[in-house]
Short mmCIF file of all heavy atoms in Angstrom, two decimals:
data_model
loop_
_atom_site.label_atom_id
_atom_site.label_comp_id
_atom_site.label_asym_id
_atom_site.label_seq_id
_atom_site.Cartn_x
_atom_site.Cartn_y
_atom_site.Cartn_z
N MET A 27 0.85 -1.17 0.00
CA MET A 27 0.02 0.00 -0.01
C MET A 27 0.90 1.23 0.02
O MET A 27 1.96 1.26 0.61
CB MET A 27 -0.91 -0.02 1.24
CG MET A 27 -1.89 1.11 1.26
SD MET A 27 -3.18 0.91 2.50
CE MET A 27 -2.44 1.71 3.89
N ALA A 28 0.42 2.26 -0.64
CA ALA A 28 1.16 3.53 -0.72
C ALA A 28 1.31 4.13 0.69
O ALA A 28 0.51 3.84 1.59
CB ALA A 28 0.45 4.50 -1.63
N GLU A 29 2.28 4.98 0.83
CA GLU A 29 2.48 5.69 2.12
C GLU A 29 1.28 6.61 2.40
O GLU A 29 0.70 7.20 1.52
CB GLU A 29 3.74 6.56 2.03
CG GLU A 29 5.02 5.74 1.86
CD GLU A 29 5.37 4.96 3.08
OE1 GLU A 29 5.13 5.44 4.20
OE2 GLU A 29 5.88 3.85 2.91
N ILE A 30 0.93 6.70 3.67
CA ILE A 30 -0.24 7.44 4.07
C ILE A 30 -0.22 8.90 3.67
O ILE A 30 -1.26 9.46 3.31
CB ILE A 30 -0.54 7.29 5.60
CG1 ILE A 30 -1.92 7.80 5.93
CG2 ILE A 30 0.59 7.97 6.38
CD1 ILE A 30 -2.39 7.42 7.34
N HIS A 31 0.95 9.51 3.64
CA HIS A 31 0.99 10.93 3.27
C HIS A 31 0.62 11.15 1.82
O HIS A 31 0.28 12.26 1.43
CB HIS A 31 2.36 11.54 3.58
CG HIS A 31 3.46 10.96 2.79
ND1 HIS A 31 4.13 9.83 3.17
CD2 HIS A 31 4.02 11.32 1.60
CE1 HIS A 31 5.06 9.51 2.26
NE2 HIS A 31 4.98 10.41 1.31
N GLU A 32 0.62 10.07 0.98
CA GLU A 32 0.24 10.16 -0.41
C GLU A 32 -1.28 10.16 -0.61
O GLU A 32 -1.80 10.81 -1.49
CB GLU A 32 0.84 9.01 -1.22
CG GLU A 32 2.36 9.08 -1.25
CD GLU A 32 2.92 7.88 -2.03
OE1 GLU A 32 2.26 7.39 -2.92
OE2 GLU A 32 4.04 7.45 -1.69
N TRP A 33 -1.99 9.42 0.25
CA TRP A 33 -3.43 9.29 0.04
C TRP A 33 -4.30 9.97 1.08
O TRP A 33 -5.42 10.36 0.81
CB TRP A 33 -3.85 7.82 -0.09
CG TRP A 33 -3.38 6.92 1.01
CD1 TRP A 33 -2.25 6.13 1.00
CD2 TRP A 33 -4.04 6.65 2.26
NE1 TRP A 33 -2.16 5.41 2.16
CE2 TRP A 33 -3.24 5.71 2.95
CE3 TRP A 33 -5.20 7.12 2.87
CZ2 TRP A 33 -3.59 5.23 4.23
CZ3 TRP A 33 -5.54 6.62 4.10
CH2 TRP A 33 -4.72 5.71 4.76
N TRP A 34 -3.80 10.20 2.27
CA TRP A 34 -4.63 10.82 3.34
C TRP A 34 -5.21 12.16 2.96
O TRP A 34 -6.40 12.38 3.11
CB TRP A 34 -3.83 10.92 4.65
CG TRP A 34 -4.62 11.55 5.77
CD1 TRP A 34 -4.54 12.81 6.20
CD2 TRP A 34 -5.58 10.88 6.56
NE1 TRP A 34 -5.42 13.04 7.22
CE2 TRP A 34 -6.07 11.87 7.46
CE3 TRP A 34 -6.07 9.61 6.64
CZ2 TRP A 34 -7.03 11.55 8.41
CZ3 TRP A 34 -7.07 9.32 7.56
CH2 TRP A 34 -7.53 10.28 8.46
N PRO A 35 -4.43 13.09 2.37
CA PRO A 35 -5.03 14.38 2.03
C PRO A 35 -6.17 14.31 1.01
O PRO A 35 -7.04 15.17 1.02
CB PRO A 35 -3.86 15.16 1.44
CG PRO A 35 -2.64 14.47 1.97
CD PRO A 35 -3.02 13.04 2.09
N LYS A 36 -6.23 13.28 0.19
CA LYS A 36 -7.22 13.14 -0.83
C LYS A 36 -8.38 12.25 -0.42
O LYS A 36 -9.37 12.09 -1.16
CB LYS A 36 -6.60 12.58 -2.11
CG LYS A 36 -5.51 13.51 -2.65
CD LYS A 36 -4.81 12.88 -3.82
CE LYS A 36 -3.65 13.78 -4.22
NZ LYS A 36 -2.77 13.11 -5.18
N LEU A 37 -8.31 11.63 0.72
CA LEU A 37 -9.32 10.73 1.23
C LEU A 37 -10.57 11.53 1.60
O LEU A 37 -10.48 12.65 2.10
CB LEU A 37 -8.82 10.01 2.46
CG LEU A 37 -9.45 8.67 2.84
CD1 LEU A 37 -9.27 7.65 1.74
CD2 LEU A 37 -8.83 8.16 4.13
N SER A 38 -11.75 10.98 1.37
CA SER A 38 -13.00 11.65 1.71
C SER A 38 -13.12 11.88 3.21
O SER A 38 -12.50 11.15 4.03
CB SER A 38 -14.21 10.81 1.24
OG SER A 38 -14.31 9.66 2.01
N ALA A 39 -13.87 12.88 3.58
CA ALA A 39 -14.08 13.21 5.01
C ALA A 39 -14.70 12.02 5.75
O ALA A 39 -14.32 11.72 6.89
CB ALA A 39 -14.94 14.46 5.16
N GLU A 40 -15.61 11.35 5.11
CA GLU A 40 -16.27 10.18 5.73
C GLU A 40 -15.27 9.08 6.04
O GLU A 40 -15.28 8.49 7.11
CB GLU A 40 -17.39 9.62 4.84
CG GLU A 40 -18.52 10.57 4.62
CD GLU A 40 -18.27 11.60 3.51
OE1 GLU A 40 -17.30 11.44 2.73
OE2 GLU A 40 -19.01 12.59 3.45
N SER A 41 -14.37 8.82 5.09
CA SER A 41 -13.32 7.80 5.32
C SER A 41 -12.33 8.22 6.39
O SER A 41 -11.96 7.41 7.20
CB SER A 41 -12.60 7.50 4.01
OG SER A 41 -13.48 6.87 3.08
N LYS A 42 -11.96 9.48 6.35
CA LYS A 42 -11.05 9.97 7.42
C LYS A 42 -11.67 9.77 8.77
O LYS A 42 -11.03 9.30 9.72
CB LYS A 42 -10.70 11.45 7.20
CG LYS A 42 -9.75 11.66 6.02
CD LYS A 42 -9.45 13.14 5.89
CE LYS A 42 -8.46 13.37 4.77
NZ LYS A 42 -8.18 14.81 4.58
N ASN A 43 -12.93 10.14 8.91
CA ASN A 43 -13.63 10.01 10.19
C ASN A 43 -13.69 8.52 10.63
O ASN A 43 -13.46 8.25 11.81
CB ASN A 43 -15.03 10.58 10.12
CG ASN A 43 -15.05 12.05 10.07
OD1 ASN A 43 -14.09 12.74 10.50
ND2 ASN A 43 -16.10 12.64 9.51
N ALA A 44 -13.96 7.66 9.71
CA ALA A 44 -14.03 6.23 10.03
C ALA A 44 -12.70 5.73 10.54
O ALA A 44 -12.62 4.96 11.50
CB ALA A 44 -14.48 5.41 8.81
N LEU A 45 -11.62 6.13 9.89
CA LEU A 45 -10.27 5.70 10.33
C LEU A 45 -9.87 6.31 11.65
O LEU A 45 -9.21 5.67 12.45
CB LEU A 45 -9.23 6.01 9.23
CG LEU A 45 -9.37 5.21 7.94
CD1 LEU A 45 -8.31 5.68 6.95
CD2 LEU A 45 -9.26 3.73 8.20
N GLU A 46 -10.28 7.54 11.90
CA GLU A 46 -9.97 8.16 13.17
C GLU A 46 -10.73 7.50 14.31
O GLU A 46 -10.22 7.39 15.43
CB GLU A 46 -10.33 9.65 13.12
CG GLU A 46 -9.40 10.46 12.23
CD GLU A 46 -9.85 11.85 11.95
OE1 GLU A 46 -11.05 12.21 12.23
OE2 GLU A 46 -9.06 12.67 11.47
N GLU A 47 -11.96 7.03 14.05
CA GLU A 47 -12.77 6.41 15.08
C GLU A 47 -12.34 4.99 15.40
O GLU A 47 -12.51 4.55 16.51
CB GLU A 47 -14.23 6.40 14.65
CG GLU A 47 -14.87 7.78 14.59
CD GLU A 47 -16.24 7.79 14.00
OE1 GLU A 47 -16.77 6.71 13.67
OE2 GLU A 47 -16.77 8.89 13.82
N ARG A 48 -11.78 4.26 14.38
CA ARG A 48 -11.41 2.86 14.58
C ARG A 48 -10.04 2.60 13.94
O ARG A 48 -9.89 1.83 12.99
CB ARG A 48 -12.45 1.95 13.92
CG ARG A 48 -13.82 2.03 14.61
CD ARG A 48 -14.84 1.21 13.96
NE ARG A 48 -15.21 1.60 12.58
CZ ARG A 48 -16.01 2.64 12.31
NH1 ARG A 48 -16.49 3.37 13.28
NH2 ARG A 48 -16.32 2.91 11.07
N PRO A 49 -9.00 3.23 14.48
CA PRO A 49 -7.69 3.14 13.87
C PRO A 49 -7.01 1.76 13.88
O PRO A 49 -6.20 1.46 13.04
CB PRO A 49 -6.83 4.11 14.67
CG PRO A 49 -7.49 4.21 15.99
CD PRO A 49 -8.97 4.01 15.70
N GLY A 50 -7.40 0.93 14.82
CA GLY A 50 -6.74 -0.40 14.94
C GLY A 50 -7.44 -1.53 14.20
O GLY A 50 -7.03 -2.67 14.32
N GLU A 51 -8.47 -1.20 13.45
CA GLU A 51 -9.22 -2.24 12.75
C GLU A 51 -8.77 -2.43 11.31
O GLU A 51 -8.11 -1.55 10.73
CB GLU A 51 -10.71 -1.87 12.79
CG GLU A 51 -11.30 -1.86 14.19
CD GLU A 51 -12.77 -1.57 14.20
OE1 GLU A 51 -13.41 -1.53 13.14
OE2 GLU A 51 -13.30 -1.35 15.32
N VAL A 52 -9.13 -3.55 10.72
CA VAL A 52 -8.88 -3.82 9.33
C VAL A 52 -9.60 -2.74 8.50
O VAL A 52 -10.76 -2.40 8.78
CB VAL A 52 -9.34 -5.22 8.93
CG1 VAL A 52 -9.26 -5.47 7.42
CG2 VAL A 52 -8.54 -6.28 9.67
N LEU A 53 -8.97 -2.24 7.47
CA LEU A 53 -9.57 -1.20 6.62
C LEU A 53 -10.80 -1.80 5.89
O LEU A 53 -10.70 -2.84 5.26
CB LEU A 53 -8.59 -0.68 5.58
CG LEU A 53 -7.34 -0.03 6.09
CD1 LEU A 53 -6.48 0.47 4.96
CD2 LEU A 53 -7.64 1.13 7.05
N PRO A 54 -11.93 -1.10 5.94
CA PRO A 54 -13.13 -1.59 5.24
C PRO A 54 -12.90 -1.54 3.74
O PRO A 54 -12.10 -0.75 3.24
CB PRO A 54 -14.22 -0.57 5.68
CG PRO A 54 -13.68 0.09 6.90
CD PRO A 54 -12.21 0.07 6.78
N LEU A 55 -13.67 -2.36 3.02
CA LEU A 55 -13.53 -2.44 1.55
C LEU A 55 -13.68 -1.08 0.93
O LEU A 55 -12.95 -0.71 0.01
CB LEU A 55 -14.60 -3.40 1.01
CG LEU A 55 -14.67 -3.49 -0.52
CD1 LEU A 55 -13.36 -3.96 -1.11
CD2 LEU A 55 -15.83 -4.39 -0.91
N GLU A 56 -14.68 -0.29 1.37
CA GLU A 56 -14.91 1.01 0.72
C GLU A 56 -13.68 1.92 0.86
O GLU A 56 -13.34 2.67 -0.07
CB GLU A 56 -16.11 1.69 1.43
CG GLU A 56 -17.40 0.94 1.24
CD GLU A 56 -17.58 -0.21 2.25
OE1 GLU A 56 -16.83 -0.27 3.24
OE2 GLU A 56 -18.43 -1.06 2.00
N ILE A 57 -12.99 1.89 2.01
CA ILE A 57 -11.84 2.73 2.20
C ILE A 57 -10.65 2.17 1.36
O ILE A 57 -9.93 2.94 0.75
CB ILE A 57 -11.46 2.86 3.68
CG1 ILE A 57 -12.60 3.62 4.41
CG2 ILE A 57 -10.14 3.57 3.86
CD1 ILE A 57 -12.42 3.73 5.91
N ARG A 58 -10.51 0.84 1.34
CA ARG A 58 -9.45 0.27 0.51
C ARG A 58 -9.64 0.62 -0.95
O ARG A 58 -8.71 0.98 -1.64
CB ARG A 58 -9.39 -1.23 0.72
CG ARG A 58 -8.86 -1.66 2.08
CD ARG A 58 -8.66 -3.15 2.23
NE ARG A 58 -9.93 -3.85 2.37
CZ ARG A 58 -10.41 -4.71 1.49
NH1 ARG A 58 -9.74 -5.07 0.40
NH2 ARG A 58 -11.57 -5.32 1.68
N ASP A 59 -10.91 0.59 -1.41
CA ASP A 59 -11.18 0.95 -2.80
C ASP A 59 -10.87 2.43 -3.07
O ASP A 59 -10.35 2.82 -4.11
CB ASP A 59 -12.65 0.69 -3.14
CG ASP A 59 -12.93 -0.79 -3.40
OD1 ASP A 59 -11.98 -1.58 -3.51
OD2 ASP A 59 -14.14 -1.13 -3.40
N GLU A 60 -11.17 3.29 -2.07
CA GLU A 60 -10.89 4.73 -2.23
C GLU A 60 -9.40 4.96 -2.30
O GLU A 60 -8.95 5.74 -3.14
CB GLU A 60 -11.53 5.49 -1.08
CG GLU A 60 -11.50 6.97 -1.26
CD GLU A 60 -12.23 7.78 -0.20
OE1 GLU A 60 -12.98 7.15 0.61
OE2 GLU A 60 -12.04 8.98 -0.16
N ILE A 61 -8.63 4.29 -1.45
CA ILE A 61 -7.18 4.42 -1.47
C ILE A 61 -6.62 3.91 -2.81
O ILE A 61 -5.75 4.53 -3.43
CB ILE A 61 -6.52 3.69 -0.28
CG1 ILE A 61 -6.92 4.35 1.03
CG2 ILE A 61 -4.99 3.67 -0.43
CD1 ILE A 61 -6.57 3.56 2.28
N ARG A 62 -7.14 2.79 -3.27
CA ARG A 62 -6.72 2.23 -4.57
C ARG A 62 -7.01 3.23 -5.68
O ARG A 62 -6.18 3.46 -6.58
CB ARG A 62 -7.42 0.88 -4.86
CG ARG A 62 -6.97 0.28 -6.17
CD ARG A 62 -7.82 -0.91 -6.59
NE ARG A 62 -9.26 -0.66 -6.56
CZ ARG A 62 -9.91 0.05 -7.51
NH1 ARG A 62 -9.28 0.53 -8.53
NH2 ARG A 62 -11.22 0.22 -7.41
N HIS A 63 -8.17 3.86 -5.64
CA HIS A 63 -8.50 4.84 -6.66
C HIS A 63 -7.57 6.04 -6.62
O HIS A 63 -7.18 6.57 -7.70
CB HIS A 63 -9.98 5.28 -6.48
CG HIS A 63 -10.42 6.33 -7.46
ND1 HIS A 63 -10.74 6.02 -8.78
CD2 HIS A 63 -10.58 7.66 -7.33
CE1 HIS A 63 -11.06 7.13 -9.39
NE2 HIS A 63 -10.99 8.13 -8.55
N ILE A 64 -7.19 6.49 -5.45
CA ILE A 64 -6.30 7.63 -5.29
C ILE A 64 -4.91 7.28 -5.74
O ILE A 64 -4.27 8.09 -6.44
CB ILE A 64 -6.30 8.10 -3.82
CG1 ILE A 64 -7.64 8.70 -3.47
CG2 ILE A 64 -5.18 9.11 -3.56
CD1 ILE A 64 -7.84 8.93 -1.94
N THR A 65 -4.39 6.12 -5.35
CA THR A 65 -2.98 5.76 -5.57
C THR A 65 -2.72 4.91 -6.78
O THR A 65 -1.58 4.82 -7.26
CB THR A 65 -2.37 5.07 -4.33
OG1 THR A 65 -3.04 3.81 -4.18
CG2 THR A 65 -2.54 5.91 -3.09
N GLY A 66 -3.74 4.16 -7.19
CA GLY A 66 -3.55 3.19 -8.28
C GLY A 66 -2.92 1.90 -7.79
O GLY A 66 -2.58 1.06 -8.61
N GLU A 67 -2.78 1.77 -6.47
CA GLU A 67 -2.18 0.55 -5.90
C GLU A 67 -3.21 -0.29 -5.19
O GLU A 67 -4.08 0.19 -4.52
CB GLU A 67 -1.07 0.92 -4.88
CG GLU A 67 0.12 1.59 -5.52
CD GLU A 67 1.22 1.85 -4.50
OE1 GLU A 67 1.28 1.13 -3.48
OE2 GLU A 67 1.99 2.79 -4.73
N PHE A 68 -3.10 -1.60 -5.35
CA PHE A 68 -4.00 -2.58 -4.69
C PHE A 68 -3.77 -2.51 -3.18
O PHE A 68 -2.63 -2.43 -2.71
CB PHE A 68 -3.71 -3.98 -5.23
CG PHE A 68 -4.48 -5.06 -4.55
CD1 PHE A 68 -5.83 -5.21 -4.79
CD2 PHE A 68 -3.85 -5.89 -3.62
CE1 PHE A 68 -6.59 -6.18 -4.12
CE2 PHE A 68 -4.57 -6.89 -2.98
CZ PHE A 68 -5.91 -7.05 -3.22
N VAL A 69 -4.88 -2.56 -2.43
CA VAL A 69 -4.79 -2.60 -0.96
C VAL A 69 -5.37 -3.94 -0.52
O VAL A 69 -6.56 -4.18 -0.67
CB VAL A 69 -5.58 -1.43 -0.35
CG1 VAL A 69 -5.44 -1.46 1.18
CG2 VAL A 69 -5.09 -0.10 -0.92
N PRO A 70 -4.53 -4.85 0.01
CA PRO A 70 -4.99 -6.19 0.40
C PRO A 70 -6.13 -6.16 1.45
O PRO A 70 -6.23 -5.20 2.20
CB PRO A 70 -3.73 -6.83 1.00
CG PRO A 70 -2.58 -6.10 0.38
CD PRO A 70 -3.09 -4.67 0.21
N ALA A 71 -6.88 -7.22 1.47
CA ALA A 71 -8.10 -7.32 2.29
C ALA A 71 -7.83 -7.17 3.80
O ALA A 71 -8.65 -6.60 4.49
CB ALA A 71 -8.81 -8.64 2.05
N GLN A 72 -6.73 -7.63 4.31
CA GLN A 72 -6.51 -7.59 5.76
C GLN A 72 -5.62 -6.41 6.19
O GLN A 72 -5.05 -6.42 7.29
CB GLN A 72 -5.88 -8.92 6.25
CG GLN A 72 -6.84 -10.10 6.06
CD GLN A 72 -8.14 -9.92 6.81
OE1 GLN A 72 -8.17 -9.57 7.96
NE2 GLN A 72 -9.26 -10.15 6.11
N THR A 73 -5.55 -5.40 5.37
CA THR A 73 -4.68 -4.25 5.65
C THR A 73 -5.19 -3.47 6.85
O THR A 73 -6.37 -3.18 6.95
CB THR A 73 -4.57 -3.33 4.41
OG1 THR A 73 -4.04 -4.05 3.33
CG2 THR A 73 -3.72 -2.12 4.71
N MET A 74 -4.23 -3.11 7.71
CA MET A 74 -4.53 -2.29 8.87
C MET A 74 -3.56 -1.10 8.86
O MET A 74 -2.47 -1.20 8.26
CB MET A 74 -4.36 -3.08 10.17
CG MET A 74 -5.30 -4.24 10.28
SD MET A 74 -4.96 -5.28 11.71
CE MET A 74 -5.36 -4.18 13.05
N LEU A 75 -3.89 -0.05 9.53
CA LEU A 75 -2.98 1.09 9.66
C LEU A 75 -1.81 0.66 10.58
O LEU A 75 -2.04 -0.01 11.62
CB LEU A 75 -3.69 2.29 10.26
CG LEU A 75 -4.81 2.91 9.43
CD1 LEU A 75 -5.47 4.02 10.22
CD2 LEU A 75 -4.25 3.46 8.11
N SER A 76 -0.62 1.14 10.26
CA SER A 76 0.51 0.88 11.13
C SER A 76 0.47 1.88 12.30
O SER A 76 -0.28 2.86 12.24
CB SER A 76 1.81 1.02 10.38
OG SER A 76 1.98 2.39 10.01
N ASP A 77 1.30 1.66 13.31
CA ASP A 77 1.38 2.63 14.40
C ASP A 77 1.83 3.98 13.88
O ASP A 77 1.33 5.00 14.34
CB ASP A 77 2.37 2.13 15.45
CG ASP A 77 1.88 0.92 16.21
OD1 ASP A 77 0.66 0.64 16.20
OD2 ASP A 77 2.71 0.22 16.82
N GLU A 78 2.71 3.98 12.87
CA GLU A 78 3.18 5.25 12.29
C GLU A 78 2.03 5.94 11.54
O GLU A 78 1.92 7.14 11.57
CB GLU A 78 4.34 4.99 11.34
CG GLU A 78 5.61 4.54 12.04
CD GLU A 78 5.64 3.04 12.36
OE1 GLU A 78 4.81 2.29 11.82
OE2 GLU A 78 6.46 2.63 13.19
N ASP A 79 1.19 5.17 10.86
CA ASP A 79 0.02 5.74 10.18
C ASP A 79 -0.92 6.37 11.16
O ASP A 79 -1.42 7.48 10.94
CB ASP A 79 -0.70 4.66 9.38
CG ASP A 79 0.07 4.13 8.21
OD1 ASP A 79 1.02 4.77 7.74
OD2 ASP A 79 -0.31 3.01 7.72
N ILE A 80 -1.16 5.70 12.26
CA ILE A 80 -2.09 6.21 13.29
C ILE A 80 -1.51 7.52 13.87
O ILE A 80 -2.26 8.49 14.09
CB ILE A 80 -2.32 5.16 14.40
CG1 ILE A 80 -3.11 3.97 13.76
CG2 ILE A 80 -3.07 5.73 15.58
CD1 ILE A 80 -3.18 2.74 14.66
N GLU A 81 -0.23 7.54 14.09
CA GLU A 81 0.41 8.78 14.62
C GLU A 81 0.31 9.90 13.61
O GLU A 81 0.04 11.05 13.98
CB GLU A 81 1.87 8.47 15.02
CG GLU A 81 2.53 9.60 15.74
CD GLU A 81 1.84 9.94 17.06
OE1 GLU A 81 1.32 9.02 17.73
OE2 GLU A 81 1.85 11.12 17.42
N PHE A 82 0.51 9.58 12.32
CA PHE A 82 0.35 10.57 11.26
C PHE A 82 -1.04 11.19 11.29
O PHE A 82 -1.21 12.38 11.19
CB PHE A 82 0.65 9.95 9.89
CG PHE A 82 0.48 10.87 8.73
CD1 PHE A 82 1.50 11.71 8.32
CD2 PHE A 82 -0.75 10.92 8.06
CE1 PHE A 82 1.33 12.58 7.27
CE2 PHE A 82 -0.93 11.80 6.99
CZ PHE A 82 0.11 12.63 6.60
N ILE A 83 -2.06 10.34 11.41
CA ILE A 83 -3.45 10.84 11.44
C ILE A 83 -3.66 11.75 12.63
O ILE A 83 -4.26 12.81 12.50
CB ILE A 83 -4.43 9.64 11.46
CG1 ILE A 83 -4.39 8.91 10.15
CG2 ILE A 83 -5.81 10.13 11.81
CD1 ILE A 83 -5.14 7.59 10.13
N LYS A 84 -3.11 11.39 13.78
CA LYS A 84 -3.22 12.24 14.97
C LYS A 84 -2.59 13.60 14.74
O LYS A 84 -3.15 14.63 15.12
CB LYS A 84 -2.57 11.56 16.18
CG LYS A 84 -3.35 10.41 16.72
CD LYS A 84 -2.61 9.80 17.90
CE LYS A 84 -3.30 8.54 18.40
NZ LYS A 84 -2.56 7.91 19.49
N THR A 85 -1.43 13.64 14.12
CA THR A 85 -0.75 14.92 13.86
C THR A 85 -1.51 15.75 12.87
O THR A 85 -1.56 16.98 12.97
CB THR A 85 0.71 14.72 13.39
OG1 THR A 85 0.71 14.03 12.16
CG2 THR A 85 1.53 13.98 14.43
N GLN A 86 -2.14 15.10 11.88
CA GLN A 86 -2.94 15.82 10.93
C GLN A 86 -4.17 16.46 11.56
O GLN A 86 -4.56 17.56 11.27
CB GLN A 86 -3.35 14.93 9.75
CG GLN A 86 -2.19 14.47 8.93
CD GLN A 86 -1.41 15.57 8.32
OE1 GLN A 86 -1.93 16.38 7.55
NE2 GLN A 86 -0.13 15.66 8.67
N ARG A 87 -4.77 15.74 12.43
CA ARG A 87 -5.97 16.24 13.15
C ARG A 87 -5.61 17.38 14.08
O ARG A 87 -6.33 18.39 14.14
CB ARG A 87 -6.60 15.14 13.96
CG ARG A 87 -7.86 15.54 14.62
CD ARG A 87 -8.84 14.35 14.69
NE ARG A 87 -10.03 14.75 15.37
CZ ARG A 87 -11.15 15.09 14.75
NH1 ARG A 87 -11.17 15.14 13.46
NH2 ARG A 87 -12.20 15.45 15.42
N GLU A 88 -4.47 17.27 14.74
CA GLU A 88 -4.02 18.36 15.63
C GLU A 88 -3.77 19.64 14.85
O GLU A 88 -4.08 20.75 15.30
CB GLU A 88 -2.75 17.97 16.36
CG GLU A 88 -3.01 16.89 17.41
CD GLU A 88 -1.72 16.33 17.98
OE1 GLU A 88 -0.64 16.77 17.58
OE2 GLU A 88 -1.84 15.42 18.83
N ALA A 89 -3.28 19.51 13.62
CA ALA A 89 -2.99 20.68 12.80
C ALA A 89 -4.28 21.43 12.44
O ALA A 89 -4.30 22.63 12.30
CB ALA A 89 -2.26 20.31 11.52
N VAL A 90 -5.39 20.66 12.32
CA VAL A 90 -6.67 21.27 11.95
C VAL A 90 -7.37 21.87 13.16
O VAL A 90 -8.01 22.91 13.09
CB VAL A 90 -7.59 20.21 11.29
CG1 VAL A 90 -8.98 20.76 11.03
CG2 VAL A 90 -6.97 19.73 9.99
N ASP A 91 -7.24 21.19 14.29
CA ASP A 91 -7.92 21.62 15.55
C ASP A 91 -7.33 22.92 15.94
O ASP A 91 -7.58 23.92 16.14
CB ASP A 91 -7.78 20.63 16.68
CG ASP A 91 -8.54 19.36 16.39
OD1 ASP A 91 -9.46 19.37 15.52
OD2 ASP A 91 -8.28 18.37 17.09
#
């Protein structure tokens, strides 16, 4: 999967909210499809955010708050 900084800014608000609410879960099909559409890269079915990805999301949210 592509690095989070490549697809996070282009991800829909709904998908961002879903990932922020459940960061440790397997990515839902809809979000994997959205990431694939943004990056052109396949996202495997059991993909989860890494600890670094979760931290990246937290820093992005803090910048907005």
